Amino acid sequence: MPLRILLPLKLNTHNTTMKRSITALSIVSFALLIMTGCKKDDNKVTTPTYDIPTTYNFANANYADATTRLGMYTEISNLMKNALTGTFDAVTAKAMLNNTGAPFANAAYNTSGLQLRDQFAPAFKQDALDFIDSLAKASAAYPTVASKGVAGVGASSANVASKYALTGAGFNYAQVFNKGLMGGLVTYQIVTTMDAVANQTIDNITIVNGETAMEHAWDMAFGYWGVPTDFPANKTNPKPVLWGSYTTQVDSGYKANKILMDAFLKGRAAISAKDKSTFVEQAKIIIAAFEKLHGAGALQEVKEAKESISDKILLNSRLSEMYGFVYSIKYNPKRVTTDAQYNTLLSGFPANFYDMTSTQLDALRDAIAAQYGFESVKDVL
Amino acid sequence: MRKFIYTALVAMAAFVLIQSCKKSGDGNTGDNSSGFDRKAMLTNISANIIIPAYTAFQADAVSLDAAVTAFVASPDADKLTTVQTAFKTTYQQWQATSVFEFGPAGQVSLRVNTNTYPTDVNQINANISSNTYNPTLLANLSAKGLPAMDYLLFGTGANNTAILAQYTTDSKAGNRKTYLAALAAELKSNASTVLSGWGSYQNTFVNAAGTDVGSSTGQLVNQLVYDYEILKNYEVGIPAGVQSMGNTFPTYVQAYYSKMSLQLAKLHLQAMQNIYLGKSGQTNGLGLDDYLVQTTKLPNTAKYANGSSVNDAITTQFATATSKLQTLTDPLADNISSNPGAVTAAYAELQKLTVLLKTDMTSSLSILITYGDNDGD
């Protein structure tokens, strides 16, 4: 059922027979005002009225290019699974980043004219190549078994079929790359778009290919999130990718699914209805959420690390995921986290993950929870 | 009348305000609609099962540490045998102690510090060679505790003569003695910390008598099921190859070197059954079985397959799983190599009990399982 924005009701204050009750009513209103005090009340009488759908089914919506790029990522991710048998092809992985030499199994990607790397945050353009090289180095050491100071491939003791290519410092660069891309591509693209919308530096008048530039940019941002149009009612088909998967994984402590879906729907409807104050507000909600998500993702990995605490190889892979979420905060161009705060968080990790202690892990959890406002749910996420 | 409306509205406003910033909570009372006295159950389990378990484990750890101290001071064959015997007693007692990973044990992560296996022989030997051992490193969890001592006391040579040489004539004998002593001292220290912690925690435990996530019943049931899954997976399933398409890992069993894996698994299962029954010695006090019976007496509660109650099903399955384990023999590792089918058959019965405990029992008692399964992602 579509929601409809309603104009505020006006109370009839001419009835003087119940003056005291009116006073009391205004006390109730006052209480309600305090409760809703965090909501901006920019609505003028001229506020447009329009429907907000419950699924992302806007008639002119188009984010196929974002979906294509997430598909390209999935092919790189599949290639990285070969690292476990020592045959990770770093050259092809890099060709996939640039879409050169028809590297993809899906031929449509090869001829799409799109590439991943030109959409990356500036700092991630080089980092991505370095992460791939680091993974290739660990992979090349196969069949050497990973241990402290020795790169190689190790198995989980709980599930011997689960293997991980680790550097001598215990880093699983497949995971660092994966979380890096979540920050350096997805967060970067979404936050950049939302900032442009909030500042209204994108055209919302001229129609090109059925959409204004702002509508299209907003659609692309939604596409990068990587969820179905009827998310979160539908969490399976098509399978959520990257942040689309993690917003559900952290949902026990941070209701990002609903926050983001509501904002994406409301904002897109507001853009088409030229309701500036509403789309600016929704863009700001999305910017804030994508910074908090890195903290939530890292805390989710703390929890998983604790669940595998005595499983040395798996633990290091969890720590790599956690590290990746924290490291990739830097790709967010509008982050509130200062450089000093960022460096403090990163310095909580030991240089070698084999040297991690329980105390350090708890301290990292507490620092991340404090930074992103998750103290009350730090063990739940 | 007007005054009444006025007052009521002010009260309502205040209520709305208070409610808007209050978290919903659950009163920790001992009673619920089932009429079962959870507090009495927690009193029985803590006084007659948990504290006696920690008391015995701590005493065993003290004896083991004393035996190790005497052995490393002047190693000989008799003292080695004494240490080995003390070690076995401690490992046996641990089977009845490992479940209670909340409160004092949770604070020191007693379970992973005491019993992470398979032990990492490379890590142990690296620590011995470098003569450095940092007990706080998570990477050392698989190089400490009972499994590491299992290797040091039973696995460093083909027989006791060869093992004794590792502590006398071997070039690393001095470092090895230091390492063994450090592990025994750490075990004793952890056991003592947890036992003394229960001195004041018992009162907390008995009085957190609700069923919400932080309640004692909630924690006890969660840890019972969690520890049960360790028994099923780590003591039997993973070594028998159930997670690796039949590729077996016989050396992954608990107590591989001292060759008492099956004996320990049976003790472990018996201990869990005792917690479930609230049984200590010959006395059968209030346990989860009584709670289940009381809860499922209420109208409209589900009956398990073929009309039996959840409690009957669990009781029967404990017996079936035990009898399946009794068809196996120690060393379990050899059983896995020679007759993996019998071991996976026992695993199948253990798995049935998992479902009963984790799904049927928890839903009947309205207890939420709060630990996650690793999804491998």
Side-chain angles (χ1 to χ4, degrees):
Chain A
M1 200 185 90
L3 297 168
R4 186 169 280 268
I5 291 187
L6 295 171
L7 292 173
L9 278 174
K10 224 176 174 191
L11 278 174
N12 181 0
T13 52
H14 297 300
N15 188 343
T16 49
T17 58
M18 295 271 285
K19 205 175 170 191
R20 298 196 81 171
S21 299
I22 296 296
T23 314
L25 265 176
S26 60
I27 291 171
V28 176
S29 314
F30 180 66
L32 288 170
L33 259 178
I34 289 177
M35 285 168 61
T36 53
C38 53
K39 244 187 177 173
K40 287 254 169 68
D41 191 16
D42 296 348
N43 288 356
K44 302 282 172 337
V45 189
T46 54
T47 300
T49 303
Y50 49 91
D51 290 338
I52 299 171
T54 54
T55 64
Y56 207 91
N57 62 355
F58 302 96
N60 59 349
N62 175 8
Y63 49 86
D65 290 357
T67 307
T68 296
R69 291 199 181 94
L70 294 184
M72 290 174 166
Y73 156 75
T74 303
E75 286 209 18
I76 297 177
S77 172
N78 289 339
L79 198 62
M80 286 182 165
K81 288 173 185 154
N82 294 333
L84 308 175
T85 50
T87 54
F88 172 54
D89 184 351
V91 174
T92 301
K94 289 178 184 174
M96 285 178 169
L97 288 184
N98 295 317
N99 196 5
T100 51
F104 294 106
N106 184 333
Y109 297 165
N110 294 325
T111 55
S112 64
L114 301 172
Q115 61 161 280
L116 281 166
R117 193 153 170 259
D118 65 3
Q119 303 298 304
F120 286 174
F124 187 56
K125 286 182 180 172
Q126 182 59 43
D127 282 354
L129 302 179
D130 294 348
F131 295 161
I132 286 171
D133 286 338
S134 300
L135 177 65
K137 235 170 160 178
S139 172
Y142 179 86
T144 302
V145 176
S147 64
K148 186 179 176 181
V150 181
V153 176
S156 157
S157 63
N159 185 351
V160 285
S162 296
K163 294 184 174 161
Y164 306 88
L166 305 181
T167 66
F171 283 62
N172 176 1
Y173 272 100
Q175 285 296 351
V176 178
F177 175 84
N178 169 282
K179 271 64 193 180
L181 189 121
M182 288 170 73
L185 173 68
V186 182
T187 301
Y188 172 73
Q189 282 294 326
I190 292 176
V191 169
T192 303
T193 295
M194 292 301 148
D195 186 51
V197 170
N199 292 315
Q200 299 172 56
T201 56
I202 312 183
D203 179 71
N204 193 25
I205 298 165
T206 315
I207 307 285
V208 181
N209 296 328
E211 290 188 282
T212 69
M214 190 183 281
E215 285 174 324
H216 184 59
W218 190 276
D219 289 344
M220 286 289 286
F222 176 75
Y224 275 121
W225 182 19
V227 299
T229 53
D230 51 349
F231 191 79
N234 168 13
K235 288 183 184 138
T236 52
N237 186 29
K239 196 181 171 205
V241 185
L242 295 171
W243 277 125
S245 162
Y246 268 92
T247 48
T248 296
Q249 292 188 46
V250 303
D251 204 54
S252 55
Y254 179 46
K255 301 289 174 202
N257 282 349
K258 182 171 166 49
I259 293 169
L260 286 175
M261 197 66 192
D262 286 355
F264 269 113
L265 293 171
K266 197 172 178 185
R268 181 57 162 78
I271 289 171
S272 299
K274 318 292 183 198
D275 177 2
K276 283 182 190 173
S277 62
T278 300
F279 69 65
V280 167
E281 187 184 13
Q282 302 313 309
K284 287 178 177 169
I285 289 171
I286 293 169
I287 291 173
F290 267 90
E291 183 154 9
K292 285 194 77 147
L293 271 174
H294 280 259
L299 287 174
Q300 200 262 345
E301 298 304 338
V302 173
K303 187 177 164 222
E304 293 206 336
K306 284 174 174 266
E307 282 161 7
S308 349
I309 201 122
S310 60
D311 193 341
K312 195 158 60 177
I313 299 295
L314 177 57
L315 172 67
N316 281 344
S317 187
R318 302 291 195 213
L319 295 176
S320 302
E321 295 190 60
M322 183 183 161
Y323 176 84
F325 275 123
V326 175
Y327 186 84
S328 61
I329 289 167
K330 75 169 183 180
Y331 304 127
N332 181 339
K334 303 309 291 180
R335 65 175 185 272
V336 179
T337 316
T338 65
D339 287 353
Q341 288 167 333
Y342 173 77
N343 289 330
T344 303
L345 289 180
L346 272 188
S347 67
F349 289 89
N352 190 314
F353 287 168
Y354 289 99
D355 291 334
M356 180 66 92
T357 68
S358 289
T359 314
Q360 283 174 312
L361 188 56
D362 284 346
L364 268 164
R365 174 198 61 189
D366 294 347
I368 295 165
Q371 178 74 43
Y372 297 102
F374 291 125
E375 273 115 330
S376 61
V377 290
K378 66 186 181 185
D379 293 317
V380 182
L381 272 161
Chain B
M1 177 63 188
R2 275 205 208 127
K3 200 161 189 179
F4 172 75
I5 292 171
Y6 181 78
T7 314
L9 281 170
V10 171
M12 209 175 91
F15 181 74
V16 164
L17 268 177
I18 290 165
Q19 284 305 106
S20 65
C21 43
K22 194 178 143 192
K23 284 212 177 139
S24 67
D26 178 39
N28 281 345
T29 59
D31 288 317
N32 70 355
S33 52
S34 71
F36 181 75
D37 190 350
R38 278 194 299 273
K39 195 168 175 175
M41 174 183 76
L42 295 172
T43 303
N44 174 48
I45 290 177
S46 59
N48 298 321
I49 298 176
I50 299 177
I51 290 177
Y54 281 127
T55 305
F57 180 64
Q58 192 265 354
D60 290 340
V62 168
S63 301
L64 175 59
D65 180 60
V68 166
T69 304
F71 172 68
V72 299
S74 58
D76 61 33
D78 283 349
K79 292 200 197 83
L80 177 60
T81 311
T82 307
V83 174
Q84 288 173 330
T85 305
F87 169 84
K88 285 185 171 179
T89 308
T90 311
Y91 220 158
Q92 287 156 358
Q93 177 56 39
W94 172 251
Q95 305 307 313
T97 315
S98 61
V99 170
F100 316 110
E101 188 81 354
F102 44 80
Q107 280 171 14
V108 300
S109 300
L110 186 67
R111 188 189 280 137
V112 289
N113 275 295
T114 304
N115 198 25
T116 292
Y117 60 91
T119 199
D120 189 338
V121 171
N122 291 331
Q123 178 88 18
I124 292 171
N125 288 333
N127 289 344
I128 290 172
S129 290
S130 63
N131 206 20
T132 53
Y133 169 62
N134 178 351
T136 68
L137 294 191
L138 296 175
N140 271 335
L141 287 174
S142 50
K144 65 159 70 170
L146 296 166
M149 296 178 77
D150 185 54
Y151 166 72
L152 289 169
L153 294 172
F154 297 89
T156 45
N159 53 47
N160 270 9
T161 309
I163 292 167
L164 184 59
Q166 295 293 316
Y167 296 90
T168 49
T169 55
D170 185 76
S171 63
K172 298 284 182 194
N175 291 0
R176 192 169 285 108
K177 288 192 286 187
T178 306
Y179 194 63
L180 179 65
L183 298 187
E186 187 181 343
L187 196 73
K188 179 181 79 167
S189 164
N190 286 340
S192 302
T193 303
V194 174
L195 177 62
S196 77
W198 267 87
S200 58
Y201 182 74
Q202 187 179 11
N203 192 39
T204 311
F205 179 79
V206 167
N207 284 302
T211 54
D212 52 324
V213 169
S215 68
S216 295
T217 306
Q219 290 185 323
L220 179 70
V221 168
N222 263 279
Q223 287 302 328
L224 179 69
V225 178
Y226 187 90
D227 209 47
Y228 180 77
E229 292 203 86
I230 290 179
L231 160 60
K232 179 200 66 164
N233 292 330
Y234 289 72
E235 293 176 30
V236 182
I238 292 171
V242 299
Q243 285 188 357
S244 43
M245 293 179 293
N247 287 329
T248 59
F249 294 87
T251 62
Y252 278 35
V253 293
Q254 180 180 227
Y256 170 70
Y257 299 100
S258 56
K259 298 182 169 59
M260 54 174 180
S261 315
L262 185 68
Q263 182 199 6
L264 295 185
K266 287 191 283 192
L267 285 171
H268 200 176
L269 187 61
Q270 181 64 54
M272 295 193 161
Q273 192 173 10
N274 287 348
I275 297 162
Y276 175 75
L277 297 171
K279 191 174 167 191
S280 48
Q282 295 308 307
T283 313
N284 189 342
L286 278 180
L288 293 165
D289 61 332
D290 304 291
Y291 187 15
L292 263 178
V293 167
Q294 186 71 36
T295 309
T296 49
K297 261 185 196 163
L298 295 169
N300 301 324
T301 49
K303 294 277 178 184
Y304 200 65
N306 67 36
S308 70
S309 71
V310 179
N311 175 48
D312 291 343
I314 291 174
T315 308
T316 305
Q317 194 57 35
F318 261 117
T320 309
T322 304
S323 69
K324 278 284 179 189
L325 284 181
Q326 279 164 348
T327 65
L328 307 175
T329 50
D330 265 325
L332 182 59
D334 293 354
N335 254 220
I336 289 169
S337 301
S338 62
N339 192 6
V343 182
T344 50
Y347 173 83
E349 294 304 327
L350 290 168
Q351 172 58 28
K352 288 180 193 167
L353 187 51
T354 306
V355 176
L356 287 167
L357 294 174
K358 193 173 184 178
T359 308
D360 298 276
M361 177 175 77
T362 54
S363 65
S364 295
L365 300 181
S366 303
I367 284 171
L368 186 68
I369 290 290
T370 52
Y371 64 86
D373 290 317
N374 285 330
D375 56 3
D377 177 43

